[in-house]
mmCIF file of all heavy atoms in Angstrom:
data_model
loop_
_atom_site.group_PDB
_atom_site.id
_atom_site.type_symbol
_atom_site.label_atom_id
_atom_site.label_comp_id
_atom_site.label_asym_id
_atom_site.label_seq_id
_atom_site.Cartn_x
_atom_site.Cartn_y
_atom_site.Cartn_z
ATOM 1 N N LEU A 226 5.827 -13.632 5.056
ATOM 2 C CA LEU A 226 5.547 -14.815 4.186
ATOM 3 C C LEU A 226 4.571 -15.716 4.885
ATOM 4 O O LEU A 226 3.601 -16.230 4.256
ATOM 5 C CB LEU A 226 6.833 -15.447 3.875
ATOM 6 C CG LEU A 226 7.672 -14.779 2.804
ATOM 7 C CD1 LEU A 226 9.032 -15.353 2.743
ATOM 8 C CD2 LEU A 226 7.026 -15.004 1.377
ATOM 9 N N LEU A 227 4.745 -15.989 6.171
ATOM 10 C CA LEU A 227 3.825 -16.870 6.972
ATOM 11 C C LEU A 227 2.368 -16.202 6.950
ATOM 12 O O LEU A 227 1.376 -16.901 6.709
ATOM 13 C CB LEU A 227 4.362 -17.075 8.329
ATOM 14 C CG LEU A 227 5.601 -17.988 8.415
ATOM 15 C CD1 LEU A 227 6.174 -17.975 9.843
ATOM 16 C CD2 LEU A 227 5.336 -19.376 8.041
ATOM 17 N N ARG A 228 2.375 -14.968 7.293
ATOM 18 C CA ARG A 228 1.086 -14.244 7.405
ATOM 19 C C ARG A 228 0.450 -14.214 6.047
ATOM 20 O O ARG A 228 -0.819 -14.442 5.902
ATOM 21 C CB ARG A 228 1.347 -12.837 7.920
ATOM 22 C CG ARG A 228 0.173 -11.890 7.795
ATOM 23 C CD ARG A 228 -0.860 -11.963 8.843
ATOM 24 N NE ARG A 228 -1.786 -10.835 8.669
ATOM 25 C CZ ARG A 228 -1.686 -9.632 9.277
ATOM 26 N NH1 ARG A 228 -0.630 -9.503 10.097
ATOM 27 N NH2 ARG A 228 -2.629 -8.684 9.105
ATOM 28 N N TYR A 229 1.101 -13.784 5.002
ATOM 29 C CA TYR A 229 0.501 -13.577 3.697
ATOM 30 C C TYR A 229 0.187 -14.969 3.024
ATOM 31 O O TYR A 229 -0.754 -14.989 2.221
ATOM 32 C CB TYR A 229 1.382 -12.801 2.880
ATOM 33 C CG TYR A 229 1.693 -11.433 3.410
ATOM 34 C CD1 TYR A 229 2.791 -10.703 3.045
ATOM 35 C CD2 TYR A 229 0.812 -10.835 4.365
ATOM 36 C CE1 TYR A 229 3.108 -9.449 3.626
ATOM 37 C CE2 TYR A 229 1.127 -9.602 4.954
ATOM 38 C CZ TYR A 229 2.235 -8.909 4.533
ATOM 39 O OH TYR A 229 2.499 -7.703 5.107
ATOM 40 N N ALA A 230 0.848 -15.976 3.382
ATOM 41 C CA ALA A 230 0.442 -17.363 2.902
ATOM 42 C C ALA A 230 -0.906 -17.709 3.458
ATOM 43 O O ALA A 230 -1.778 -18.216 2.709
ATOM 44 C CB ALA A 230 1.449 -18.338 3.319
ATOM 45 N N ASP A 231 -1.139 -17.395 4.701
ATOM 46 C CA ASP A 231 -2.474 -17.666 5.281
ATOM 47 C C ASP A 231 -3.545 -16.833 4.686
ATOM 48 O O ASP A 231 -4.697 -17.245 4.575
ATOM 49 C CB ASP A 231 -2.427 -17.349 6.850
ATOM 50 C CG ASP A 231 -1.601 -18.303 7.639
ATOM 51 O OD1 ASP A 231 -1.427 -19.447 7.117
ATOM 52 O OD2 ASP A 231 -1.137 -17.951 8.705
ATOM 53 N N GLU A 232 -3.251 -15.583 4.187
ATOM 54 C CA GLU A 232 -4.233 -14.759 3.630
ATOM 55 C C GLU A 232 -4.330 -14.861 2.088
ATOM 56 O O GLU A 232 -5.169 -14.171 1.404
ATOM 57 C CB GLU A 232 -3.824 -13.284 4.048
ATOM 58 C CG GLU A 232 -3.930 -13.058 5.550
ATOM 59 C CD GLU A 232 -3.529 -11.689 6.015
ATOM 60 O OE1 GLU A 232 -3.096 -10.935 5.124
ATOM 61 O OE2 GLU A 232 -3.772 -11.373 7.169
ATOM 62 N N GLY A 233 -3.435 -15.660 1.510
ATOM 63 C CA GLY A 233 -3.533 -15.974 0.058
ATOM 64 C C GLY A 233 -2.879 -14.836 -0.763
ATOM 65 O O GLY A 233 -3.204 -14.831 -1.975
ATOM 66 N N TRP A 234 -2.004 -14.115 -0.237
ATOM 67 C CA TRP A 234 -1.360 -12.993 -0.976
ATOM 68 C C TRP A 234 -0.054 -13.402 -1.643
ATOM 69 O O TRP A 234 0.543 -12.599 -2.365
ATOM 70 C CB TRP A 234 -1.095 -11.769 -0.073
ATOM 71 C CG TRP A 234 -2.469 -11.364 0.649
ATOM 72 C CD1 TRP A 234 -2.651 -11.217 1.975
ATOM 73 C CD2 TRP A 234 -3.580 -10.884 0.041
ATOM 74 N NE1 TRP A 234 -3.957 -10.804 2.252
ATOM 75 C CE2 TRP A 234 -4.486 -10.521 0.985
ATOM 76 C CE3 TRP A 234 -3.955 -10.699 -1.326
ATOM 77 C CZ2 TRP A 234 -5.757 -9.991 0.764
ATOM 78 C CZ3 TRP A 234 -5.290 -10.231 -1.575
ATOM 79 C CH2 TRP A 234 -6.143 -9.871 -0.575
ATOM 80 N N VAL A 235 0.448 -14.574 -1.313
ATOM 81 C CA VAL A 235 1.609 -15.111 -1.990
ATOM 82 C C VAL A 235 1.389 -16.462 -2.482
ATOM 83 O O VAL A 235 0.478 -17.181 -1.968
ATOM 84 C CB VAL A 235 2.935 -15.093 -1.065
ATOM 85 C CG1 VAL A 235 3.268 -13.758 -0.581
ATOM 86 C CG2 VAL A 235 2.624 -16.019 0.237
ATOM 87 N N ALA A 236 2.145 -16.921 -3.499
ATOM 88 C CA ALA A 236 1.855 -18.239 -3.998
ATOM 89 C C ALA A 236 2.263 -19.331 -2.984
ATOM 90 O O ALA A 236 3.186 -19.162 -2.154
ATOM 91 C CB ALA A 236 2.823 -18.380 -5.288
ATOM 92 N N SER A 237 1.457 -20.325 -3.068
ATOM 93 C CA SER A 237 1.644 -21.456 -2.041
ATOM 94 C C SER A 237 2.816 -22.284 -2.427
ATOM 95 O O SER A 237 3.377 -22.222 -3.601
ATOM 96 C CB SER A 237 0.450 -22.355 -2.069
ATOM 97 O OG SER A 237 0.305 -23.064 -3.275
ATOM 98 N N PRO A 238 3.386 -23.051 -1.459
ATOM 99 C CA PRO A 238 4.480 -24.006 -1.777
ATOM 100 C C PRO A 238 4.240 -24.872 -2.957
ATOM 101 O O PRO A 238 5.128 -25.082 -3.833
ATOM 102 C CB PRO A 238 4.671 -24.806 -0.549
ATOM 103 C CG PRO A 238 4.272 -23.844 0.576
ATOM 104 C CD PRO A 238 3.007 -23.179 -0.068
ATOM 105 N N GLN A 239 2.984 -25.504 -3.079
ATOM 106 C CA GLN A 239 2.673 -26.338 -4.176
ATOM 107 C C GLN A 239 2.583 -25.515 -5.556
ATOM 108 O O GLN A 239 3.062 -26.012 -6.531
ATOM 109 C CB GLN A 239 1.330 -27.034 -3.992
ATOM 110 C CG GLN A 239 1.029 -28.076 -5.002
ATOM 111 C CD GLN A 239 2.124 -29.138 -5.239
ATOM 112 O OE1 GLN A 239 2.449 -29.862 -4.243
ATOM 113 N NE2 GLN A 239 2.623 -29.320 -6.426
ATOM 114 N N ARG A 240 2.082 -24.324 -5.457
ATOM 115 C CA ARG A 240 2.072 -23.521 -6.688
ATOM 116 C C ARG A 240 3.433 -23.143 -7.120
ATOM 117 O O ARG A 240 3.743 -23.147 -8.274
ATOM 118 C CB ARG A 240 1.271 -22.146 -6.332
ATOM 119 C CG ARG A 240 1.220 -21.266 -7.600
ATOM 120 C CD ARG A 240 0.412 -21.933 -8.748
ATOM 121 N NE ARG A 240 0.557 -21.144 -9.954
ATOM 122 C CZ ARG A 240 1.425 -21.463 -10.932
ATOM 123 N NH1 ARG A 240 2.221 -22.517 -10.823
ATOM 124 N NH2 ARG A 240 1.432 -20.716 -12.067
ATOM 125 N N LEU A 241 4.329 -22.934 -6.172
ATOM 126 C CA LEU A 241 5.767 -22.638 -6.629
ATOM 127 C C LEU A 241 6.423 -23.885 -7.191
ATOM 128 O O LEU A 241 7.085 -23.757 -8.258
ATOM 129 C CB LEU A 241 6.564 -22.203 -5.359
ATOM 130 C CG LEU A 241 8.060 -21.991 -5.657
ATOM 131 C CD1 LEU A 241 8.311 -20.936 -6.653
ATOM 132 C CD2 LEU A 241 8.809 -21.655 -4.352
#
Side-chain angles (χ1 to χ4, degrees):
L226 282 164
L227 291 169
R228 164 84 171 270
Y229 302 156
D231 290 340
E232 297 178 352
W234 304 120
V235 296
S237 69
Q239 185 57 56
R240 179 66 190 96
L241 177 61

